[in-house]
Amino acid sequence: MGRKVHPVGFRLGITKDWKAKWFAEGQQYVDLLREDLELRQLIRGEMARAGISRIDIERFPKQVSITIHTARPGIVIGRKGASVNLLRRRVEDLTGKKARIEVVEIPEPELDAYLIAENISAQLARRISHRRAMKQAATRAMRLGAGGIKVACSGRLGGSEMSRRDWTMEGRVPLHTMRADIDYAQAEALTTYGRIGIKVWVYKGDVFPEDEEEGFAFL
């Protein structure tokens, strides 16, 4: 008991899909995996203010397809598509292949675990109380229809001499239920006292076979 499993990895192929879709073996797998990390780092670095939650990468023989899920699509696209065209050229220079970039808007950023974690991280960096930041995030998520939310912060909270862990939870977060749609993310806040880790779990309801669109199956 006491061992923790990543909520997304626990449900891969059942209610969750992979963020990267390609196949390789040997050294090619190592090179493509490193390239994926560089692509994600490049996109998040170029679009730091765009509220990017997820970057999906799909590879073809002579093309790389990237889907960017963002809360601010206007920043990613830019005026008359200038920003996304510049990003496409940088991706093509990095990969040496033709790139296709698709931008998908996140309709409710307050229900996205990664954006919630990044928002709390920014507040902690501005020296806002961690309890206040966690409570406000949980309240907003529940008000917009989340089934439950859990937020945990760990580190030298409030500048204490010894690191500790504090958390808040509203609603229910059934981590052991396979059909439960759990959105999970973690982030870090760089404060004057050190690094503070943030974890967010958001329960968005159950996924049943008749509601599935991508062919996931329950075993």
Side-chain angles (χ1 to χ4, degrees):
M1 297 298 291
R3 298 186 180 182
K4 299 175 179 61
V5 180
H6 196 289
V8 177
F10 186 51
R11 295 167 174 83
L12 275 178
I14 300 175
T15 59
K16 297 291 184 180
D17 202 2
W18 284 262
K19 295 182 180 179
K21 294 182 179 179
W22 48 267
F23 177 80
E25 293 180 327
Q27 185 61 36
Q28 185 184 14
Y29 172 82
V30 177
D31 296 337
L32 292 181
L33 180 60
R34 184 184 297 113
E35 190 175 280
D36 275 10
L37 296 176
E38 292 175 353
L39 284 174
R40 290 190 167 93
Q41 185 177 5
L42 170 67
I43 295 172
R44 292 194 184 278
E46 292 290 329
M47 307 290 177
R49 297 174 51 252
I52 296 176
S53 169
R54 173 175 171 144
I55 301 172
D56 296 335
I57 300 176
E58 190 171 0
R59 294 182 180 272
F60 301 96
K62 296 182 180 180
Q63 183 179 359
V64 178
S65 178
I66 300 176
T67 304
I68 301 176
H69 299 261
T70 173
R72 301 171 183 172
I75 297 179
V76 178
I77 297 173
R79 182 173 296 179
K80 296 182 180 179
S83 298
V84 74
N85 289 333
L86 177 61
L87 181 62
R88 183 185 297 109
R89 288 195 295 270
R90 294 194 176 183
V91 171
E92 290 176 348
D93 293 340
L94 178 62
T95 61
K97 298 180 181 179
K98 185 178 180 181
R100 183 175 68 89
I101 298 179
E102 182 179 355
V103 181
V104 178
E105 182 180 5
I106 299 175
E108 295 178 331
E110 293 82 2
L111 295 178
D112 188 280
Y114 185 86
L115 298 181
I116 293 173
E118 286 293 325
N119 183 34
I120 295 175
S121 171
Q123 293 185 59
L124 294 181
R126 298 197 304 267
R127 299 188 178 184
I128 295 177
S129 169
H130 68 281
R131 289 182 180 274
R132 178 182 177 185
M134 292 191 301
K135 187 66 176 177
Q136 287 181 349
T139 302
R140 284 195 298 266
M142 294 299 294
R143 187 171 61 243
L144 288 177
I149 179 173
K150 178 180 178 181
V151 183
C153 293
S154 61
R156 294 184 60 186
L157 302 176
S160 61
E161 290 295 327
M162 183 175 294
S163 63
R164 58 193 176 91
R165 184 174 186 267
D166 195 4
W167 59 277
T168 183
M169 178 175 172
E170 291 193 21
R172 53 187 292 264
V173 185
L175 298 180
H176 289 211
T177 305
M178 297 290 288
R179 66 173 178 268
D181 184 7
I182 303 292
D183 190 14
Y184 170 78
Q186 55 190 42
E188 294 178 345
L190 301 179
T191 68
T192 56
Y193 301 107
R195 194 181 302 263
I196 295 179
I198 303 146
K199 294 182 178 180
V200 178
W201 296 259
V202 180
Y203 172 52
K204 299 181 179 180
D206 292 341
V207 178
F208 295 99
E210 58 269 15
D211 297 333
E212 294 165 3
E213 298 179 357
E214 299 186 12
F216 298 123
F218 293 98
L219 302 179

